[in-house]
Amino acid sequence: METTKFYCRDIFSFSNKEIIKLVDFLFDETNLDRLTGYLYEERPSITRKFSYRKIEVCSSYYDWAYIVKVTYLLEGLDREVTTGFLIWTEGGTSDEEIYSRDVYIQSVVGFFKTMEGQIWEKGVADDFGIEVDFSVYQVYARKLYGFLNCTLKVLSNKLTNDTYQWNTQLKDMFKEGLMRSFIVDETTIPELT
């Protein structure tokens, strides 16, 4: 019996539109409810409806990962709240490793916390200004698998390097002297009167 090998697309080939789709998927109604639940004590009248959302990509200091930071202004809360996640590609680009690569999505705090005091100074995760950690949210495995494969086409049984171009904004975050972050999308929803 023949085993199909799957190629894993590099996260630095995600377009800005695909990053927006990833944010829309991860911060669906269920997770926006979880976000409001996290902030309930501060403001019981808070709802998952938002009037403002900003999606920003930040350098993670590693050239195989980046941070997606999302800022919301939720109905019932008189201040902005920031959340987000770290996304990274494991494995290299050599022929031996190309089929064993994988994509990880995880908490920014969870990623840096294990290295504090060894590689990074204490509190490095706080530098990203993420108030609500990704560990608050839940993502269903089947839905995530379907989204990554059908929408972002992360896994393929064909090598598709020629199909996907590098997102130059993502790659440029690691060049000397350039910005370490950029805004992917900023949405303001006007209030209905």
Side-chain angles (χ1 to χ4, degrees):
M1 184 152 126
E2 189 176 320
T3 304
T4 303
K5 289 185 174 182
F6 286 93
Y7 163 77
C8 183
R9 183 177 170 197
D10 194 292
I11 60 165
F12 284 88
S13 70
F14 290 177
S15 70
N16 290 351
K17 285 182 181 178
E18 288 173 317
I19 293 169
I20 294 167
K21 287 178 184 178
L22 179 60
V23 167
D24 289 340
F25 172 79
L26 292 174
F27 299 104
D28 61 1
E29 289 182 354
T30 299
N31 281 331
L32 286 175
D33 281 343
R34 293 183 70 78
L35 174 61
T36 60
Y38 182 87
L39 299 165
Y40 178 81
E41 220 173 270
E42 179 181 340
R43 185 63 68 101
S45 62
I46 191 173
T47 73
R48 69 174 172 228
K49 292 181 185 174
F50 59 89
S51 60
Y52 173 78
R53 178 180 78 175
K54 178 172 72 173
I55 302 170
E56 183 178 4
V57 174
C58 308
S59 166
S60 67
Y61 307 116
Y62 293 101
D63 63 0
W64 39 263
Y66 53 85
I67 293 164
V68 179
K69 189 165 124 175
V70 186
T71 303
Y72 288 104
L73 182 56
L74 297 163
E75 189 176 279
L77 193 66
D78 55 2
R79 65 177 184 84
E80 293 179 352
V81 61
T82 302
T83 189
F85 57 92
L86 182 131
I87 184 167
W88 55 295
T89 302
E90 180 191 53
T93 56
S94 72
D95 289 340
E96 300 85 42
E97 297 173 310
I98 204 158
Y99 289 108
S100 62
R101 290 195 316 189
D102 205 348
V103 170
Y104 290 79
I105 298 171
Q106 75 175 88
S107 153
V108 174
V109 171
F111 177 78
F112 285 103
K113 194 75 170 166
T114 59
M115 297 181 279
E116 282 186 357
Q118 299 168 43
I119 297 172
W120 295 100
E121 73 277 1
K122 292 231 180 261
V124 68
D126 298 335
D127 294 345
F128 297 103
I130 293 177
E131 177 184 353
V132 181
D133 187 63
F134 193 69
S135 61
V136 167
Y137 308 108
Q138 63 188 28
V139 180
Y140 294 95
R142 188 182 334 178
K143 288 181 180 178
L144 178 62
Y145 178 81
F147 173 79
L148 291 175
N149 290 325
C150 297
T151 304
L152 296 186
K153 298 182 179 17
V154 169
L155 296 176
S156 175
N157 60 355
K158 296 179 180 142
L159 292 177
T160 55
N161 276 341
D162 59 335
T163 306
Y164 298 107
Q165 309 258 334
W166 294 119
N167 181 330
T168 53
Q169 285 184 294
L170 291 173
K171 294 296 266 184
D172 285 351
M173 284 193 300
F174 299 97
K175 288 185 178 173
E176 192 70 32
L178 290 177
M179 290 180 54
R180 305 287 291 173
S181 69
F182 64 94
I183 295 171
V184 174
D185 184 56
E186 197 163 12
T187 305
T188 301
I189 300 168
E191 288 185 38
L192 297 174
T193 55

